[in-house]
Structure formats: C-alpha cells, structure tokens
Amino acid sequence: MRPHPLTWLYAPGDRPRVVAKALTAGADVVVIDLEDAVAPDRKDYAREATAELLTTPQPVPVHVRVNALDTPWAAADLDTLAALPGVSGLRLPKVTAPAQIIHVAETTPPTAGGAPALHALLESALGIEHAYAIAAAHPSLHGIALGDADLRADLGARDDAGLDWSRSRVVVAARAAGLPPPSQSVHPDIRDLDGLTASCAHGRALGFLGRAAIHPRQLPVIERAYLPTGEELEQAETIIKAATADQGAQALPDGRFIDASVVASARRTLSLARRS
C-alpha cells in the first residue's frame, strides 16, 4: 500500500507540457485540473489531451478534477475519463449534497477494480452544512477537502481565520465517516514560502494531513511541515517504549501522563515518519 499522500500537485489539463513536468516533480499525487484552470473555450481540448495521456498508467497516482457537476462539461468529463487506466481518482468540485456523490458513483463507468475513487471538494456554505452526509454518502468516496477560495467568497470571510470553523467541520466529518484526514487547500502565492510554512503548521494543528500545491517549489515546504519533527519523533518513541513496559495509564518521569489515546497518537506519528 502507498503511504498517505502529503502533496497533491495541480496542473492545468489544457497544458500537456506542464502536466508532463508535474508527473516528475516529486508530488505524491498529480491532479490534472479541467475546472478552474481551464477557460471555457479550452474545456474540450483539455479533456481530449488528458484522455490521451491517461490511456496508460502513470508513474505516480493521477487524479482528475472534473468540471462542476452542474456545468455542461461534467458528464463528458466523467464518461470520457473515469475508466481510463491512468486515472487513480476523480475530484468533484463544488459538491453540496450527498445525492451528487451517489449519482456519480452509480452512473460513472467503472474501472477494472470497480467504481472509480471519488474525492469531494466542499466549496460553499451548503457543502459545509452537509459535510458529514457527503462524507458518508457512498463507499466510492475516498476523501473530502475544502476549496478555500470559493468558500471564502461564498461566506464573505475577510481573512483566513474566517474559515477555521469550516475547516474543523470538514476534519471532524472526515473522521466521523471513516475517511482519511483531509488535505489543505492550495496556498495561492507561490513565492510566499514562509507564509506557506505558517499556514501548513496551522492546518496541521487543526487536523489536516498534507496539502495541495500549484507549483513544484511548494512541495518540499509542505512535506517538511507535515512530517514529524525530531522532537516529536523522540517523544513518540519515549511514549511507545513506556507503554511497552507498562500497558496501563502512567506518568512519565517528566510529568507527562500517557494512556491509550496518547499511545495511539504516538503510533500515528511513527507511522507517518516511516511513510517514505
């Protein structure tokens, strides 16, 4: 099994050379974007170019962000791309209700392994209100995430803090539905690596795991931010060692109290560190 992705690199579907570079940039997952990154008069070309590329498996998992389900292009995107050998997942933008997930899962052409892996992007107040229902809608749904820019516009949030409640709602919904922790939305300023680092630290504190990127230079920043630090690893190893010697709740020599939940968190830290 592949380790949980930490980096998701977007590339516009109407620019095949950019997509080719993205496939070798070191991201855990490449997301070919047919939606926001592609102008309306380029939608058909983007779909055709993406289909041509994904007729064969790729060196890294490739997801395709199709057009929103209420647009004229969505049905053709799904019909053309869902069953191709190079497609590892479909990202559905602007999802607002569980019925949309059920419809796509039950009507989209299956892959050789069954229904295609779906990922829902929640980008509106209505989507956030229905977060758990969407997350639990169908077994083919493998993850949920936020679309920060659209959500900020929908809510009229004046700054980044205005999205924190929605972010926590999505983290809780994913966990409650048994899905992996959601990844953070993109940081739009590709030159602001310090801001990206700080934003990743905040997202990690909220319970996110990994992040989408729009430029390869963002990838190592995201990975460093989400991998455990040396201090975190040392603390996790100390906890596991103590728990192995005495399986009951206990206090460490430095005063920290550990019980089963603390041990489980330590195991997750060590597992994440071994992902490579």
Side-chain angles (χ1 to χ4, degrees):
M1 292 181 63
R2 287 179 176 269
H4 183 88
L6 292 186
T7 52
W8 312 68
L9 180 60
Y10 274 87
D14 63 338
R15 299 176 63 186
R17 291 184 181 179
V18 176
V19 173
K21 290 181 179 179
L23 291 169
T24 61
D28 294 327
V29 178
V30 169
V31 182
I32 300 178
D33 190 12
L34 305 184
E35 195 213 12
D36 287 346
V38 179
D41 62 352
R42 300 271 290 175
K43 297 288 189 183
D44 292 341
Y45 169 71
R47 183 189 312 114
E48 293 165 4
T50 300
E52 181 178 356
L53 172 68
L54 298 181
T55 53
T56 58
Q58 298 302 307
V60 296
V62 175
H63 288 198
V64 178
R65 180 165 75 172
V66 299
N67 285 283
L69 300 177
D70 60 354
T71 66
W73 309 286
D77 292 346
L78 294 168
D79 290 344
T80 302
L81 301 168
L84 293 181
V87 176
S88 298
L90 297 171
R91 298 179 77 79
L92 309 178
K94 300 176 175 61
V95 173
T96 59
Q100 294 172 294
I101 303 300
I102 295 169
H103 175 75
V104 172
E106 294 182 350
T107 62
T108 300
T111 65
L118 305 178
H119 295 255
L121 301 177
L122 311 184
E123 306 181 67
S124 66
L126 186 57
I128 298 301
E129 280 299 298
H130 293 162
Y132 174 72
I134 291 168
H138 196 277
S140 294
L141 189 73
H142 288 210
I144 60 174
L146 279 180
D148 280 6
D150 284 274
L151 180 60
R152 183 180 288 109
D154 191 40
L155 296 178
R158 295 177 63 91
D159 57 34
D160 204 51
L163 299 184
D164 277 357
W165 184 88
S166 298
R167 290 166 174 157
S168 293
R169 178 80 176 266
V170 168
V171 169
V172 171
R175 179 60 179 166
L179 298 177
S183 58
Q184 278 187 276
S185 185
V186 300
H187 186 71
D189 188 339
I190 63 173
R191 295 179 296 273
D192 180 23
L193 300 185
D194 289 340
L196 173 61
T197 299
S199 179
C200 287
H202 183 60
R204 188 179 177 204
L206 291 174
F208 288 88
L209 183 58
R211 186 163 200 164
I214 53 174
H215 194 281
R217 70 167 60 118
Q218 296 177 316
L219 300 177
V221 177
I222 295 168
E223 186 165 282
R224 282 196 304 271
Y226 273 98
L227 286 175
T229 64
E231 181 180 358
E232 288 169 339
L233 285 175
E234 183 179 352
Q235 290 176 352
E237 290 166 353
T238 299
I239 290 168
I240 297 300
K241 182 177 180 180
T244 301
D246 183 351
Q247 297 185 7
Q250 58 181 298
L252 298 179
D254 63 5
R256 284 179 295 155
F257 181 81
I258 64 171
D259 59 10
S261 62
V262 176
V263 173
S265 180
R267 293 191 191 281
R268 285 196 297 269
T269 297
L270 295 179
S271 176
L272 184 58
R274 292 192 294 264
R275 68 183 300 276
S276 59

